[in-house]
Amino acid sequence: MCECKHEKSRSLQGAFMRLLHRYMEVNFGRLKDLGVHPGQLPFINAISHKEGISQRELAEHLHVKPPTVAVTMKRLEKAEVIYRKPDPNDMRVSRIYLTEKGNQVAEQIEIVVRANEKALTAGFSEEEVELAKSFFDRMMQNLDALSQQMTEACQESCAGKAPICKDGKGGEI
């Protein structure tokens, strides 16, 4: 780890990235025996809480691009964690469900996540944990607002021109 001359000058973003990297590293170690990559956790969690979700809904819920969802679903399907069924009301839409193995993986993930959260917040009061959650929620709202502002600014500058602007999510407008 870097020895910083001015500990207070470290950026919030840098601290967050180090925390996230370390958290994912710990998760990878705990989850590799389940045959799940840490990047798949949010997908499995979302499906377990809303069985029958569509890929589009999953992309919106997780704030990821549809191709990311498609690739992850193929991998989870190959690993026999999920299966897809056509929507009975709209055959163009596939609904996603956990398999029996997927349900077991989701249960194990929940145990690991609870253990990780307990370790992550050791020494924190309940009020401090709630305060941290509220900070993260506000930061997410700020990022959502920034993304919206970028999209609107790009749409204004691209009016009548070729679509060269990005939509704030990596796609072109």
Side-chain angles (χ1 to χ4, degrees):
M1 187 172 282
C2 156
E3 287 288 328
C4 297
K5 291 181 183 178
H6 304 287
E7 200 61 30
K8 291 184 180 180
S9 69
R10 293 188 319 167
S11 72
L12 178 62
Q13 180 175 324
F16 179 75
M17 295 303 289
R18 284 189 304 281
L19 174 66
L20 183 60
H21 177 76
R22 185 67 179 123
Y23 186 77
M24 294 302 280
E25 187 177 63
V26 169
N27 269 339
F28 187 75
R30 289 183 167 182
L31 296 171
K32 67 181 175 184
D33 292 338
L34 295 176
V36 175
H37 188 277
Q40 297 169 335
L41 293 182
F43 294 89
I44 295 169
N45 185 48
I47 296 165
S48 73
H49 286 93
K50 189 176 180 190
E51 291 249 15
I53 193 169
S54 71
Q55 284 189 195
R56 182 178 184 188
E57 292 166 337
L58 198 51
E60 290 171 3
H61 175 73
L62 297 176
H63 302 281
V64 297
K65 298 174 193 168
T68 301
V69 175
V71 169
T72 303
M73 292 305 98
K74 284 181 186 172
R75 289 180 179 158
L76 289 173
E77 199 168 36
K78 185 176 179 181
E80 299 179 349
V81 173
I82 63 133
Y83 67 96
R84 299 181 238 198
K85 275 182 18 181
D87 184 306
N89 299 320
D90 186 348
M91 298 304 274
R92 298 169 296 175
V93 176
S94 289
R95 298 288 171 186
I96 305 165
Y97 301 88
L98 293 176
T99 62
E100 183 60 38
K101 177 183 176 182
N103 282 312
Q104 292 170 358
V105 168
E107 288 175 22
Q108 290 300 309
I109 288 170
E110 188 65 32
I111 291 167
V112 169
V113 167
R114 272 190 255 128
N116 284 348
E117 190 162 316
K118 186 175 180 179
L120 189 63
T121 59
F124 286 76
S125 69
E126 195 172 314
E127 292 80 19
E128 289 172 320
V129 171
E130 289 305 313
L131 187 59
K133 288 178 188 177
S134 73
F135 288 157
F136 289 143
D137 288 343
R138 284 172 42 199
M139 288 179 201
M140 189 64 181
Q141 290 170 359
N142 291 343
L143 288 175
D144 287 345
L146 178 61
S147 178
Q148 182 63 34
Q149 289 170 0
M150 291 169 52
T151 299
E152 290 169 2
C154 186
Q155 288 173 340
E156 288 175 15
S157 69
C158 291
K161 299 178 185 173
I164 57 172
C165 295
K166 298 290 181 181
D167 65 4
K169 297 177 186 171
E172 289 188 359
I173 295 178

